[in-house]
């Protein structure tokens, strides 16, 4: 469950710059491990540099302990890691520092510059070290191994933490944005509830005023007449007994009428109160409804994310083509080469390219005969979707399907992201062709 902004602010209970105590403990453990690692590596550095052993160990411990301030000053941590790279120490310091830098609120150009410096420094140091080992005879591999080891080591120690940090930072910013939206929505709902309560209070005040007027107009009038007749009855009781009897009858009738009208008004008030109770509860109904709707939406989103994580694969192309054929498209699928499994992102991209191309045929060339070709090659997979001209000039727009204009752009971005080649354009025959080649690895 996510927290609102106020709850999240109250959850920040850690010392100094740490949001929580466990974060401080975690960073302390990382700093301790880094200090021990750098201290152990400082022994070899002291021997190579010709300085006292205790100085090398102390230097390593001091450099490794810088990891304690990684959340406060991530740039300083990375700079220290770059500085100690020639001493062949601080591997944990560099990895954690790059991850923290990429996940922090730091401009991308700064992240790229420091990551590039780390990459270059690690490559140079590895190149020199491997070259020295080969010169001493510790390694008997060919000369090609020196640049290979330098590049592989530099990429292995730089790319994963940077990419992971960028992902975590983006996810954190997304969660903060969602939290802010939830706070804004909660404030709006509270404002609406307050306004509804104000309107209800105003309506109750107006109703009290109206009831007061009704009570005055109805009951007070009858009671006033009863008082007048009672006074007349007292005055004529002994002089004119018959008139006194008539006055007494009038007082009785007016009393009964007043009681009847009062009873009717009280009945209306009781009915109004009974109807008003659900009305008061109804003020809270939108909040509960929004809460339930939010819970259902969150559950649905999580299911979508889980299902999206699986994604389509090439084995579902037959079903995809069959669906288009069932919709009235004349389409055929041909597969060349030996069918084999690829990485999940490769199969998903290939599937999406074919899917979007068929969708474009439905939108812009309804009724055109379409050919889908899939070729499994040694180191790549190629796909092509080509449609002939539509049978009628107006059939392309007959379906009336909307087009956002981003289909080809999305396919190109998918393919290029995997290092592939994407080409699309009209054919000489008046149709349209979409071709893509994606590396198999």
């Amino acid at each position: 469950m996510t927290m609102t902004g106020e709850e999240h602010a109250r959850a920040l209970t850690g010392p100094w710059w740490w949001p929580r105590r466990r974060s401080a403990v975690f960073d302390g453990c990382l700093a301790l491990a880094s200090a021990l690692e750098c201290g152990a590596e400082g022994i070899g550095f002291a021997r190579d540099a010709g300085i006292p052993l205790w100085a090398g160990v102390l230097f390593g411990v001091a450099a490794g302990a810088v990891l304690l301030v990684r959340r406060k000053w991530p740039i300083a941590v990375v700079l220290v890691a770059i500085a100690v790279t020639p001493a062949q120490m601080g591997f944990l310091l560099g990895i954690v520092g790059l991850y923290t830098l990429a996940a922090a609120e730091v401009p991308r150009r700064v992240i790229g510059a420091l990551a590039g410096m780390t990459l270059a420094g690690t490559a140079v140091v590895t190149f020199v070290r491997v070259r020295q080992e080969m010169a001493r005879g510790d390694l008997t591999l060919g000369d090609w191994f020196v640049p290979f080891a330098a590049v592989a080591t530099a990429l292995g120690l730089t790319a994963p933490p940077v990419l992971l940090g960028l992902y975590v930072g983006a996810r954190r910013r997304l969660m903060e944005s969602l939290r802010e939206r939830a706070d804004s929505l909660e404030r709006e709902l509270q404002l609406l509830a307050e306004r509804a309560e104000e309107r209800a209070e105003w309506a109750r005040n107006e109703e009290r005023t109206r009831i007061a007027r009704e009570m005055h107009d109805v009951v007070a009038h009858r009671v006033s007449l009863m008082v007048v007749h009672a006074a007349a009855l007292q005055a004529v009781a002994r002089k004119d007994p018959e008139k006194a009897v008539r006055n007494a009858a009038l007082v009785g009738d007016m009393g009964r009428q007043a009681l009847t009208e009062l009873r009717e008004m009280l009945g209306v008030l009781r009915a109004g109160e009974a109807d008003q109770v659900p009305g008061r509860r109804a003020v809270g109904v939108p909040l509960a409804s929004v809460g339930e709707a939010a819970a259902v939406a969150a559950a649905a989103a999580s299911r979508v994310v889980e299902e999206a994580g699986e994604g389509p694969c090439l084995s579902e192309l037959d079903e995809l083509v069959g669906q288009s054929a069932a919709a009235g498209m004349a389409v055929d699928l041909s597969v060349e080469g030996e069918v084999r499994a690829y990485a999940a992102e490769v199969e998903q991209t290939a599937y999406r390219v074919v899917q979007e191309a068929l969708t474009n045929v439905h939108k812009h060339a309804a009724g055109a005969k379409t050919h889908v070709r899939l070729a499994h090659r040694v180191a790549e997979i190629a796909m092509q979707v080509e449609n002939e001209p539509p049978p009628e000039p107006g059939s392309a727009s007959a379906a009336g399907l909307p087009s956002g204009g981003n289909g080809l752009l999305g396919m190109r971005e998918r393919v290029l992201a995997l290092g592939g080649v994407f080409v699309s354009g009209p054919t000489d025959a008046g149709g349209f062709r979409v071709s893509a080649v994606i590396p198999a690895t």
Side-chain angles (χ1 to χ4, degrees):
M1 295 180 63
T2 59
M3 297 182 295
T4 61
E6 296 180 357
E7 293 175 348
H8 180 69
R10 288 195 298 266
L12 302 179
T13 59
W16 294 331
W17 56 81
W18 285 284
R20 292 175 296 273
R21 294 184 181 276
R22 63 180 181 181
S23 300
V25 174
F26 179 72
D27 285 355
C29 294
L30 283 178
L32 178 61
S34 178
L36 293 176
E37 177 206 352
C38 293
E41 293 167 346
I43 299 175
F45 169 70
R47 293 174 180 172
D48 296 338
I51 61 176
L53 188 63
W54 62 268
V57 174
L58 182 61
F59 174 75
V61 170
V66 175
L67 201 59
L68 187 65
V69 297
R70 69 183 186 93
R71 298 176 190 263
K72 185 68 173 178
W73 297 294
I75 297 178
V77 174
V78 176
L79 290 176
V80 171
I82 296 174
V84 300
T85 299
Q88 299 180 8
M89 65 171 61
F91 295 100
L92 179 61
L93 177 66
I95 292 174
V96 178
L98 284 176
Y99 164 79
T100 306
L101 177 68
E105 297 293 337
V106 178
R108 293 294 179 86
R109 60 179 182 274
V110 177
I111 298 175
L114 293 178
M117 293 171 60
T118 304
L119 179 68
T122 304
V124 171
V125 171
T126 304
F127 183 90
V128 173
R129 182 178 180 180
V130 174
R131 192 64 177 267
Q132 291 176 351
E133 291 180 354
M134 293 186 66
R136 290 195 303 263
D138 296 340
L139 295 175
T140 57
L141 299 174
D143 294 338
W144 61 269
F145 183 74
V146 178
F148 172 78
V151 174
T153 303
L155 290 177
L157 294 178
T158 305
V162 171
L163 295 178
L164 180 60
L166 291 175
Y167 166 76
V168 172
R171 183 177 182 275
R172 183 183 301 150
R173 288 187 290 272
L174 175 61
M175 295 302 297
E176 291 176 356
S177 175
L178 294 177
R179 187 181 294 113
E180 291 177 357
R181 292 183 183 180
D183 292 343
S184 176
L185 178 60
E186 183 179 2
R187 287 192 295 268
E188 291 178 1
L189 290 177
Q190 290 177 353
L191 181 60
L192 290 176
E194 292 174 359
R195 290 181 178 177
E197 184 63 28
E198 292 176 358
R199 289 193 295 268
E201 184 64 26
W202 176 83
R204 286 194 292 268
N205 293 334
E206 289 294 321
E207 186 67 14
R208 292 191 188 99
T209 304
R210 188 185 67 82
I211 292 173
R213 289 195 300 265
E214 293 293 331
M215 293 286 288
H216 177 271
D217 295 341
V218 176
V219 179
H221 175 70
R222 299 294 182 185
V223 174
S224 299
L225 291 179
M226 290 173 61
V227 171
V228 172
H229 284 287
L233 176 61
Q234 183 180 5
V236 301
R238 294 180 180 179
K239 297 179 181 180
D240 191 352
E242 294 181 358
K243 187 177 181 179
V245 171
R246 289 195 300 271
N247 288 339
L250 289 173
V251 171
D253 291 340
M254 291 180 183
R256 282 189 293 270
Q257 291 176 6
L259 288 174
T260 300
E261 292 175 354
L262 181 59
R263 187 179 296 112
E264 292 176 355
M265 186 169 294
L266 292 176
V268 172
L269 289 177
R270 290 193 180 97
E273 291 177 357
D275 296 337
Q276 191 177 11
V277 171
R280 292 181 183 178
R281 292 179 181 176
V283 174
V285 169
L287 297 175
S289 301
V290 171
E292 295 175 0
V296 173
S302 62
R303 288 196 300 269
V304 169
V305 171
E306 292 176 359
E307 294 175 359
E310 300 175 0
C313 56
L314 290 177
S315 61
E316 302 176 10
L317 277 183
D318 291 334
E319 181 180 357
L320 177 64
V321 173
Q323 293 174 355
S324 296
M329 178 187 294
V331 56
D332 61 81
L333 172 65
S334 61
V335 181
E336 301 176 1
E338 182 181 356
V339 179
R340 63 184 186 276
Y342 300 91
E345 58 271 15
V346 174
E347 295 204 7
Q348 293 174 17
T349 301
Y351 182 91
R352 294 305 184 193
V353 169
V354 176
Q355 183 184 46
E356 182 62 27
L358 292 177
T359 302
N360 287 340
V361 176
H362 283 290
K363 290 181 179 179
H364 307 292
K369 187 174 182 180
T370 306
H371 306 278
V372 180
R373 301 180 180 89
L374 186 69
H376 298 273
R377 299 172 183 171
V378 177
E380 61 188 16
I381 177 173
M383 65 227 66
Q384 183 182 89
V385 179
E386 180 178 355
N387 63 275
E388 300 177 0
E392 299 178 3
S395 62
S397 59
L401 294 175
S403 176
N406 296 321
L408 295 177
L409 180 61
M411 286 189 283
R412 179 183 299 275
E413 291 176 350
R414 283 178 177 271
V415 174
L416 295 182
L418 296 179
V421 178
F422 179 85
V423 178
S424 63
T427 61
D428 297 336
F432 199 85
R433 180 187 299 115
V434 174
S435 302
V437 178
I438 305 174
T441 56

